[in-house]
Amino acid sequence: MTCWAEQGNYGKLQKFAVVLMGDIVKKVGWEGKPSEPPLWPLLRPLVIGVAGRNGDAAVAAEAKARMDKGWDTLPADLRFAVYSIVVSTGGEKEFDQVLDVFNKADMAEERVRALRALGYAKDTKLIERLLGMSISGAVRSQDVFYVFGTLANNRDGAALSWKFLQDNWATIIEMFASGQFLLARILKSATSCFSTQARAAEVEAFFKDHEAPGAERAIQQALEVIRSNASWLERDRESVGEWLDGHKDL
């Protein structure tokens, strides 16, 4: 969906996601059942997360209520969905609520869940706080790519995270001088949802002027993804737009 983020009817696509996922949420519910189909535990957090982050008010309210009871009361498989919903639909209070999980959780897996969820923030200042954490030492070097990957999938964070990467390139290169694989992951994550030829040209121009040791192949792969996204939009923008516009209930 993020490839469509700069289109004027992105809001209609979000409403479609809510309609599509909302009925499934009602069917699978928030609680697991002993006799439920084996794939429902995997489906449940997926549909709850998509519905809540895209505007389903009832799902968002339920997520907030559950979070307010304490993150450690949440089933493990629903935590990321709940964290990401409260961050994406809330403000500084909710951001700090999930940041507290990141700071205090003992298990690395829990900290990663919280870190990824923080990338769904909408407020520029909160996004900038998260980006600052990525180079301050607050985030383990092997987890930094989660920050850029989640923000790349955030309509409000993609451009900000790319600009931050450019502005702080010297610092990032120094941080990952001995971890070229991690640098490659960051590059690919940060640009994965760009979807215009102009963005591809911008990324290509930046790396012509800035070294990225060991990440040359990752840059080429990133450019291929951006151009593929752009080609899809150029091919299907009109037909998808007409379909969305034709559904007056969206």
Side-chain angles (χ1 to χ4, degrees), residues 111-139:
R111 289 167 57 85
V112 167
R113 286 190 188 113
L115 181 65
R116 290 173 57 214
L118 291 171
Y120 283 94
K122 303 299 183 187
D123 183 82
T124 298
K125 291 182 179 179
L126 297 178
I127 293 170
E128 289 174 345
R129 278 179 62 188
L130 177 60
L131 287 166
M133 287 169 54
S134 72
I135 60 172
S136 70
V139 178

PDB file of all heavy atoms in Angstrom, residues 111-139:
ATOM      1  N   ARG A 111      11.914  -6.119  22.458  1.00  0.00           N
ATOM      2  CA  ARG A 111      12.453  -4.805  22.123  1.00  0.00           C
ATOM      3  C   ARG A 111      12.339  -4.532  20.621  1.00  0.00           C
ATOM      4  O   ARG A 111      12.040  -3.409  20.213  1.00  0.00           O
ATOM      5  CB  ARG A 111      13.925  -4.713  22.575  1.00  0.00           C
ATOM      6  CG  ARG A 111      14.080  -4.634  24.091  1.00  0.00           C
ATOM      7  CD  ARG A 111      15.528  -4.855  24.523  1.00  0.00           C
ATOM      8  NE  ARG A 111      16.448  -3.911  23.917  1.00  0.00           N
ATOM      9  CZ  ARG A 111      16.699  -2.701  24.392  1.00  0.00           C
ATOM     10  NH1 ARG A 111      16.077  -2.276  25.480  1.00  0.00           N
ATOM     11  NH2 ARG A 111      17.565  -1.904  23.795  1.00  0.00           N
ATOM     12  N   VAL A 112      12.546  -5.557  19.816  1.00  0.00           N
ATOM     13  CA  VAL A 112      12.418  -5.392  18.365  1.00  0.00           C
ATOM     14  C   VAL A 112      10.976  -5.118  17.982  1.00  0.00           C
ATOM     15  O   VAL A 112      10.697  -4.269  17.124  1.00  0.00           O
ATOM     16  CB  VAL A 112      12.965  -6.629  17.622  1.00  0.00           C
ATOM     17  CG1 VAL A 112      12.545  -6.611  16.157  1.00  0.00           C
ATOM     18  CG2 VAL A 112      14.480  -6.688  17.736  1.00  0.00           C
ATOM     19  N   ARG A 113      10.036  -5.805  18.612  1.00  0.00           N
ATOM     20  CA  ARG A 113       8.625  -5.537  18.344  1.00  0.00           C
ATOM     21  C   ARG A 113       8.303  -4.062  18.601  1.00  0.00           C
ATOM     22  O   ARG A 113       7.649  -3.393  17.796  1.00  0.00           O
ATOM     23  CB  ARG A 113       7.726  -6.394  19.235  1.00  0.00           C
ATOM     24  CG  ARG A 113       7.626  -7.860  18.884  1.00  0.00           C
ATOM     25  CD  ARG A 113       6.513  -8.507  19.697  1.00  0.00           C
ATOM     26  NE  ARG A 113       6.484  -9.945  19.559  1.00  0.00           N
ATOM     27  CZ  ARG A 113       6.747 -10.819  20.527  1.00  0.00           C
ATOM     28  NH1 ARG A 113       7.069 -10.381  21.729  1.00  0.00           N
ATOM     29  NH2 ARG A 113       6.699 -12.111  20.318  1.00  0.00           N
ATOM     30  N   ALA A 114       8.747  -3.588  19.753  1.00  0.00           N
ATOM     31  CA  ALA A 114       8.471  -2.194  20.121  1.00  0.00           C
ATOM     32  C   ALA A 114       9.179  -1.227  19.178  1.00  0.00           C
ATOM     33  O   ALA A 114       8.597  -0.222  18.754  1.00  0.00           O
ATOM     34  CB  ALA A 114       8.907  -1.940  21.562  1.00  0.00           C
ATOM     35  N   LEU A 115      10.415  -1.531  18.826  1.00  0.00           N
ATOM     36  CA  LEU A 115      11.176  -0.656  17.925  1.00  0.00           C
ATOM     37  C   LEU A 115      10.497  -0.541  16.567  1.00  0.00           C
ATOM     38  O   LEU A 115      10.364   0.565  16.018  1.00  0.00           O
ATOM     39  CB  LEU A 115      12.591  -1.211  17.764  1.00  0.00           C
ATOM     40  CG  LEU A 115      13.544  -0.399  16.874  1.00  0.00           C
ATOM     41  CD1 LEU A 115      13.811   0.964  17.491  1.00  0.00           C
ATOM     42  CD2 LEU A 115      14.858  -1.172  16.669  1.00  0.00           C
ATOM     43  N   ARG A 116      10.079  -1.653  16.026  1.00  0.00           N
ATOM     44  CA  ARG A 116       9.385  -1.627  14.729  1.00  0.00           C
ATOM     45  C   ARG A 116       8.093  -0.828  14.825  1.00  0.00           C
ATOM     46  O   ARG A 116       7.756  -0.061  13.922  1.00  0.00           O
ATOM     47  CB  ARG A 116       9.080  -3.057  14.274  1.00  0.00           C
ATOM     48  CG  ARG A 116      10.297  -3.868  13.867  1.00  0.00           C
ATOM     49  CD  ARG A 116       9.909  -5.316  13.603  1.00  0.00           C
ATOM     50  NE  ARG A 116       8.866  -5.414  12.581  1.00  0.00           N
ATOM     51  CZ  ARG A 116       7.908  -6.344  12.572  1.00  0.00           C
ATOM     52  NH1 ARG A 116       7.844  -7.244  13.557  1.00  0.00           N
ATOM     53  NH2 ARG A 116       7.031  -6.371  11.621  1.00  0.00           N
ATOM     54  N   ALA A 117       7.380  -0.995  15.913  1.00  0.00           N
ATOM     55  CA  ALA A 117       6.107  -0.292  16.080  1.00  0.00           C
ATOM     56  C   ALA A 117       6.303   1.222  16.156  1.00  0.00           C
ATOM     57  O   ALA A 117       5.470   1.990  15.654  1.00  0.00           O
ATOM     58  CB  ALA A 117       5.391  -0.784  17.332  1.00  0.00           C
ATOM     59  N   LEU A 118       7.403   1.670  16.753  1.00  0.00           N
ATOM     60  CA  LEU A 118       7.667   3.108  16.859  1.00  0.00           C
ATOM     61  C   LEU A 118       7.775   3.757  15.477  1.00  0.00           C
ATOM     62  O   LEU A 118       7.529   4.954  15.327  1.00  0.00           O
ATOM     63  CB  LEU A 118       8.947   3.347  17.654  1.00  0.00           C
ATOM     64  CG  LEU A 118       8.874   3.008  19.147  1.00  0.00           C
ATOM     65  CD1 LEU A 118      10.271   3.091  19.772  1.00  0.00           C
ATOM     66  CD2 LEU A 118       7.915   3.934  19.884  1.00  0.00           C
ATOM     67  N   GLY A 119       8.122   2.973  14.482  1.00  0.00           N
ATOM     68  CA  GLY A 119       8.237   3.487  13.122  1.00  0.00           C
ATOM     69  C   GLY A 119       6.920   3.835  12.466  1.00  0.00           C
ATOM     70  O   GLY A 119       6.905   4.358  11.346  1.00  0.00           O
ATOM     71  N   TYR A 120       5.803   3.582  13.154  1.00  0.00           N
ATOM     72  CA  TYR A 120       4.482   3.942  12.616  1.00  0.00           C
ATOM     73  C   TYR A 120       4.003   5.299  13.119  1.00  0.00           C
ATOM     74  O   TYR A 120       2.860   5.693  12.855  1.00  0.00           O
ATOM     75  CB  TYR A 120       3.453   2.860  12.952  1.00  0.00           C
ATOM     76  CG  TYR A 120       3.586   1.640  12.081  1.00  0.00           C
ATOM     77  CD1 TYR A 120       4.344   0.539  12.491  1.00  0.00           C
ATOM     78  CD2 TYR A 120       2.983   1.588  10.829  1.00  0.00           C
ATOM     79  CE1 TYR A 120       4.494  -0.570  11.690  1.00  0.00           C
ATOM     80  CE2 TYR A 120       3.130   0.479  10.016  1.00  0.00           C
ATOM     81  CZ  TYR A 120       3.882  -0.597  10.453  1.00  0.00           C
ATOM     82  OH  TYR A 120       4.039  -1.694   9.633  1.00  0.00           O
ATOM     83  N   ALA A 121       4.855   6.030  13.828  1.00  0.00           N
ATOM     84  CA  ALA A 121       4.482   7.364  14.316  1.00  0.00           C
ATOM     85  C   ALA A 121       4.149   8.279  13.140  1.00  0.00           C
ATOM     86  O   ALA A 121       4.754   8.174  12.063  1.00  0.00           O
ATOM     87  CB  ALA A 121       5.615   7.956  15.139  1.00  0.00           C
ATOM     88  N   LYS A 122       3.217   9.193  13.352  1.00  0.00           N
ATOM     89  CA  LYS A 122       2.803  10.132  12.306  1.00  0.00           C
ATOM     90  C   LYS A 122       3.398  11.518  12.496  1.00  0.00           C
ATOM     91  O   LYS A 122       3.589  12.259  11.528  1.00  0.00           O
ATOM     92  CB  LYS A 122       1.275  10.240  12.274  1.00  0.00           C
ATOM     93  CG  LYS A 122       0.544   8.921  12.072  1.00  0.00           C
ATOM     94  CD  LYS A 122       0.902   8.281  10.759  1.00  0.00           C
ATOM     95  CE  LYS A 122       0.112   6.997  10.521  1.00  0.00           C
ATOM     96  NZ  LYS A 122       0.574   6.287   9.311  1.00  0.00           N
ATOM     97  N   ASP A 123       3.671  11.876  13.724  1.00  0.00           N
ATOM     98  CA  ASP A 123       4.157  13.216  14.034  1.00  0.00           C
ATOM     99  C   ASP A 123       5.637  13.349  13.668  1.00  0.00           C
ATOM    100  O   ASP A 123       6.454  12.487  14.007  1.00  0.00           O
ATOM    101  CB  ASP A 123       3.963  13.496  15.526  1.00  0.00           C
ATOM    102  CG  ASP A 123       4.381  14.906  15.899  1.00  0.00           C
ATOM    103  OD1 ASP A 123       3.581  15.825  15.698  1.00  0.00           O
ATOM    104  OD2 ASP A 123       5.517  15.067  16.387  1.00  0.00           O
ATOM    105  N   THR A 124       5.975  14.431  12.992  1.00  0.00           N
ATOM    106  CA  THR A 124       7.350  14.635  12.534  1.00  0.00           C
ATOM    107  C   THR A 124       8.349  14.608  13.681  1.00  0.00           C
ATOM    108  O   THR A 124       9.424  14.004  13.578  1.00  0.00           O
ATOM    109  CB  THR A 124       7.468  15.969  11.780  1.00  0.00           C
ATOM    110  OG1 THR A 124       6.621  15.915  10.619  1.00  0.00           O
ATOM    111  CG2 THR A 124       8.901  16.229  11.340  1.00  0.00           C
ATOM    112  N   LYS A 125       8.027  15.252  14.800  1.00  0.00           N
ATOM    113  CA  LYS A 125       8.949  15.301  15.929  1.00  0.00           C
ATOM    114  C   LYS A 125       9.200  13.911  16.503  1.00  0.00           C
ATOM    115  O   LYS A 125      10.330  13.597  16.927  1.00  0.00           O
ATOM    116  CB  LYS A 125       8.418  16.236  17.012  1.00  0.00           C
ATOM    117  CG  LYS A 125       8.435  17.707  16.610  1.00  0.00           C
ATOM    118  CD  LYS A 125       7.939  18.597  17.742  1.00  0.00           C
ATOM    119  CE  LYS A 125       7.988  20.064  17.340  1.00  0.00           C
ATOM    120  NZ  LYS A 125       7.494  20.950  18.428  1.00  0.00           N
ATOM    121  N   LEU A 126       8.164  13.076  16.517  1.00  0.00           N
ATOM    122  CA  LEU A 126       8.338  11.715  17.035  1.00  0.00           C
ATOM    123  C   LEU A 126       9.184  10.883  16.078  1.00  0.00           C
ATOM    124  O   LEU A 126      10.029  10.083  16.510  1.00  0.00           O
ATOM    125  CB  LEU A 126       6.974  11.061  17.250  1.00  0.00           C
ATOM    126  CG  LEU A 126       6.072  11.739  18.280  1.00  0.00           C
ATOM    127  CD1 LEU A 126       4.729  11.025  18.361  1.00  0.00           C
ATOM    128  CD2 LEU A 126       6.745  11.772  19.657  1.00  0.00           C
ATOM    129  N   ILE A 127       8.967  11.070  14.796  1.00  0.00           N
ATOM    130  CA  ILE A 127       9.780  10.361  13.797  1.00  0.00           C
ATOM    131  C   ILE A 127      11.238  10.777  13.927  1.00  0.00           C
ATOM    132  O   ILE A 127      12.147   9.944  13.869  1.00  0.00           O
ATOM    133  CB  ILE A 127       9.245  10.636  12.378  1.00  0.00           C
ATOM    134  CG1 ILE A 127       7.854  10.008  12.205  1.00  0.00           C
ATOM    135  CG2 ILE A 127      10.210  10.100  11.316  1.00  0.00           C
ATOM    136  CD1 ILE A 127       7.138  10.415  10.935  1.00  0.00           C
ATOM    137  N   GLU A 128      11.460  12.065  14.124  1.00  0.00           N
ATOM    138  CA  GLU A 128      12.831  12.558  14.281  1.00  0.00           C
ATOM    139  C   GLU A 128      13.479  12.008  15.558  1.00  0.00           C
ATOM    140  O   GLU A 128      14.684  11.727  15.575  1.00  0.00           O
ATOM    141  CB  GLU A 128      12.835  14.080  14.277  1.00  0.00           C
ATOM    142  CG  GLU A 128      12.528  14.668  12.896  1.00  0.00           C
ATOM    143  CD  GLU A 128      12.373  16.182  12.906  1.00  0.00           C
ATOM    144  OE1 GLU A 128      12.224  16.751  14.019  1.00  0.00           O
ATOM    145  OE2 GLU A 128      12.387  16.781  11.819  1.00  0.00           O
ATOM    146  N   ARG A 129      12.694  11.846  16.616  1.00  0.00           N
ATOM    147  CA  ARG A 129      13.225  11.228  17.843  1.00  0.00           C
ATOM    148  C   ARG A 129      13.696   9.812  17.567  1.00  0.00           C
ATOM    149  O   ARG A 129      14.774   9.398  18.008  1.00  0.00           O
ATOM    150  CB  ARG A 129      12.155  11.213  18.933  1.00  0.00           C
ATOM    151  CG  ARG A 129      11.990  12.503  19.709  1.00  0.00           C
ATOM    152  CD  ARG A 129      10.882  12.368  20.751  1.00  0.00           C
ATOM    153  NE  ARG A 129      11.167  11.342  21.740  1.00  0.00           N
ATOM    154  CZ  ARG A 129      10.287  10.930  22.659  1.00  0.00           C
ATOM    155  NH1 ARG A 129       9.069  11.466  22.698  1.00  0.00           N
ATOM    156  NH2 ARG A 129      10.614   9.997  23.532  1.00  0.00           N
ATOM    157  N   LEU A 130      12.881   9.066  16.847  1.00  0.00           N
ATOM    158  CA  LEU A 130      13.227   7.682  16.537  1.00  0.00           C
ATOM    159  C   LEU A 130      14.473   7.621  15.669  1.00  0.00           C
ATOM    160  O   LEU A 130      15.372   6.803  15.908  1.00  0.00           O
ATOM    161  CB  LEU A 130      12.047   6.998  15.843  1.00  0.00           C
ATOM    162  CG  LEU A 130      12.272   5.552  15.389  1.00  0.00           C
ATOM    163  CD1 LEU A 130      12.607   4.655  16.569  1.00  0.00           C
ATOM    164  CD2 LEU A 130      11.040   5.029  14.652  1.00  0.00           C
ATOM    165  N   LEU A 131      14.545   8.479  14.671  1.00  0.00           N
ATOM    166  CA  LEU A 131      15.721   8.499  13.806  1.00  0.00           C
ATOM    167  C   LEU A 131      16.975   8.853  14.603  1.00  0.00           C
ATOM    168  O   LEU A 131      18.046   8.268  14.391  1.00  0.00           O
ATOM    169  CB  LEU A 131      15.508   9.499  12.659  1.00  0.00           C
ATOM    170  CG  LEU A 131      14.529   9.043  11.578  1.00  0.00           C
ATOM    171  CD1 LEU A 131      14.123  10.219  10.694  1.00  0.00           C
ATOM    172  CD2 LEU A 131      15.127   7.925  10.740  1.00  0.00           C
ATOM    173  N   GLY A 132      16.841   9.789  15.521  1.00  0.00           N
ATOM    174  CA  GLY A 132      17.973  10.137  16.370  1.00  0.00           C
ATOM    175  C   GLY A 132      18.456   8.958  17.185  1.00  0.00           C
ATOM    176  O   GLY A 132      19.676   8.780  17.394  1.00  0.00           O
ATOM    177  N   MET A 133      17.518   8.136  17.659  1.00  0.00           N
ATOM    178  CA  MET A 133      17.890   6.944  18.418  1.00  0.00           C
ATOM    179  C   MET A 133      18.738   5.984  17.590  1.00  0.00           C
ATOM    180  O   MET A 133      19.592   5.275  18.131  1.00  0.00           O
ATOM    181  CB  MET A 133      16.626   6.213  18.883  1.00  0.00           C
ATOM    182  CG  MET A 133      15.866   6.882  20.009  1.00  0.00           C
ATOM    183  SD  MET A 133      14.230   6.117  20.271  1.00  0.00           S
ATOM    184  CE  MET A 133      14.671   4.375  20.488  1.00  0.00           C
ATOM    185  N   SER A 134      18.517   5.973  16.276  1.00  0.00           N
ATOM    186  CA  SER A 134      19.197   5.004  15.422  1.00  0.00           C
ATOM    187  C   SER A 134      20.701   5.228  15.349  1.00  0.00           C
ATOM    188  O   SER A 134      21.454   4.299  15.019  1.00  0.00           O
ATOM    189  CB  SER A 134      18.592   5.029  14.008  1.00  0.00           C
ATOM    190  OG  SER A 134      18.966   6.214  13.307  1.00  0.00           O
ATOM    191  N   ILE A 135      21.165   6.433  15.643  1.00  0.00           N
ATOM    192  CA  ILE A 135      22.605   6.700  15.575  1.00  0.00           C
ATOM    193  C   ILE A 135      23.180   7.139  16.925  1.00  0.00           C
ATOM    194  O   ILE A 135      24.348   7.515  17.009  1.00  0.00           O
ATOM    195  CB  ILE A 135      22.936   7.762  14.506  1.00  0.00           C
ATOM    196  CG1 ILE A 135      22.251   9.093  14.802  1.00  0.00           C
ATOM    197  CG2 ILE A 135      22.579   7.254  13.117  1.00  0.00           C
ATOM    198  CD1 ILE A 135      22.697  10.231  13.883  1.00  0.00           C
ATOM    199  N   SER A 136      22.355   7.092  17.967  1.00  0.00           N
ATOM    200  CA  SER A 136      22.803   7.553  19.281  1.00  0.00           C
ATOM    201  C   SER A 136      23.390   6.444  20.142  1.00  0.00           C
ATOM    202  O   SER A 136      23.940   6.710  21.207  1.00  0.00           O
ATOM    203  CB  SER A 136      21.630   8.185  20.038  1.00  0.00           C
ATOM    204  OG  SER A 136      20.695   7.187  20.426  1.00  0.00           O
ATOM    205  N   GLY A 137      23.230   5.201  19.692  1.00  0.00           N
ATOM    206  CA  GLY A 137      23.643   4.066  20.503  1.00  0.00           C
ATOM    207  C   GLY A 137      22.500   3.448  21.274  1.00  0.00           C
ATOM    208  O   GLY A 137      22.668   2.411  21.920  1.00  0.00           O
ATOM    209  N   ALA A 138      21.321   4.061  21.214  1.00  0.00           N
ATOM    210  CA  ALA A 138      20.157   3.527  21.922  1.00  0.00           C
ATOM    211  C   ALA A 138      19.637   2.245  21.279  1.00  0.00           C
ATOM    212  O   ALA A 138      18.983   1.437  21.934  1.00  0.00           O
ATOM    213  CB  ALA A 138      19.039   4.575  21.961  1.00  0.00           C
ATOM    214  N   VAL A 139      19.921   2.086  19.984  1.00  0.00           N
ATOM    215  CA  VAL A 139      19.466   0.913  19.230  1.00  0.00           C
ATOM    216  C   VAL A 139      20.682   0.075  18.857  1.00  0.00           C
ATOM    217  O   VAL A 139      21.695   0.609  18.387  1.00  0.00           O
ATOM    218  CB  VAL A 139      18.710   1.343  17.955  1.00  0.00           C
ATOM    219  CG1 VAL A 139      18.285   0.126  17.139  1.00  0.00           C
ATOM    220  CG2 VAL A 139      17.503   2.204  18.307  1.00  0.00           C
TER     221      VAL A 139
END
